[in-house]
Amino acid sequence: MGLDRRLLGNDEHEVRHMRTHGKALLVPGLVFVLLAVLMGTVLALLPTSWGWIGDAVVVGLVVIAMIVFCLVPFLRWLTSTYTLTDRRIITRKGVLNKTGHDLPLRRINNVSYERSLLDRMLGCGSLVLTTAAETPVVLRDVPDVERVHVLMTELLFGTHELSNDDGVQRPGELDDPDDPDRGDARLGRGRVADDD
């Protein structure tokens, strides 16, 4: 499921839409298991004289801890997305308070990526986008970061079309393939007509 079409401009095409990598759920998943084991152990060891009130207190505390340490991180992951279009990079995040940032591709001078050992094992990494006027923009936990890096490089510096292996319409697909100005127009560079 991609970005809502209403959020895209005229003739803007989505190239890739993704959530941050699922590694953000490793710690909340582990905490969930530990809390469940802890709850079972405490309920088994509670004196019977405490009755249902003791059970309710233990279950209530564990449920609150699960909401704070498991459900909230899951919702943050679920609502954190990166969308790459043929014009910009769109980031969205937030459960109740939504925040977003759009970075036009024309402002990006360089694209690189960083991968720690854990990132390499999990197949993710961070994209580092350098612009002329700002400190680098870092997109963390990008799944399949090497492929996304290639897509970004194609959009920024390439003159040929991206492959259409995932059914997404690529920039220039509706253009006339015999038009020599096709690649320049797609990248926003017009060619100067000859005077003769």
Side-chain angles (χ1 to χ4, degrees):
M1 182 175 156
L3 192 68
D4 188 346
R5 180 71 193 144
R6 293 173 298 175
L7 300 176
L8 298 177
N10 291 335
D11 298 325
E12 183 177 17
H13 303 286
E14 182 179 293
V15 175
R16 183 110 181 217
H17 179 79
M18 63 204 127
R19 285 192 174 87
T20 56
H21 193 271
K23 80 174 189 177
L25 300 177
L26 291 176
V27 172
L30 181 61
V31 169
F32 180 84
V33 171
L34 291 175
L35 286 172
V37 169
L38 180 66
M39 181 177 69
T41 304
V42 171
L43 288 175
L45 297 176
L46 270 181
T48 54
S49 62
W50 287 24
W52 67 271
I53 295 178
D55 293 346
V57 168
V58 170
V59 170
L61 290 174
V62 169
V63 167
I64 290 170
M66 284 183 173
I67 289 171
V68 171
F69 297 111
C70 303
L71 182 61
V72 170
F74 172 74
L75 292 175
R76 281 190 190 131
W77 171 80
L78 192 64
T79 58
S80 296
T81 61
Y82 302 132
T83 305
L84 175 61
T85 75
D86 57 345
R87 294 184 191 169
R88 59 191 168 139
I89 297 172
I90 305 164
T91 62
R92 299 288 184 260
K93 64 180 178 176
V95 179
L96 298 176
N97 296 325
K98 302 266 185 192
T99 60
H101 183 261
D102 295 0
L103 178 63
L105 293 181
R106 67 179 180 271
R107 290 183 49 203
I108 299 173
N109 296 332
N110 186 36
V111 181
S112 60
Y113 65 90
E114 300 170 352
R115 298 177 79 190
S116 66
L117 180 59
L118 179 63
D119 288 343
R120 289 176 59 200
M121 290 190 295
L122 296 175
C124 64
S126 297
L127 269 181
V128 181
L129 311 172
T130 307
T131 64
E134 301 175 2
T135 57
V137 175
V138 180
L139 304 179
R140 301 195 186 284
D141 298 332
V142 176
D144 197 13
V145 70
E146 289 178 327
R147 177 66 185 142
V148 175
H149 178 261
V150 169
L151 289 173
M152 291 270 316
T153 304
E154 291 277 336
L155 285 170
L156 291 170
F157 312 114
T159 56
H160 60 283
E161 298 176 29
L162 299 173
S163 66
N164 194 356
D165 58 354
D166 55 2
V168 176
Q169 184 178 3
R170 300 291 187 243
E173 283 184 346
L174 299 178
D175 296 339
D176 180 8
D178 297 325
D179 182 7
D181 295 341
R182 178 174 64 138
D184 292 334
R186 180 175 56 124
L187 295 174
R189 296 189 299 260
R191 294 179 68 171
V192 179
D194 294 333
D195 290 334
D196 41 347

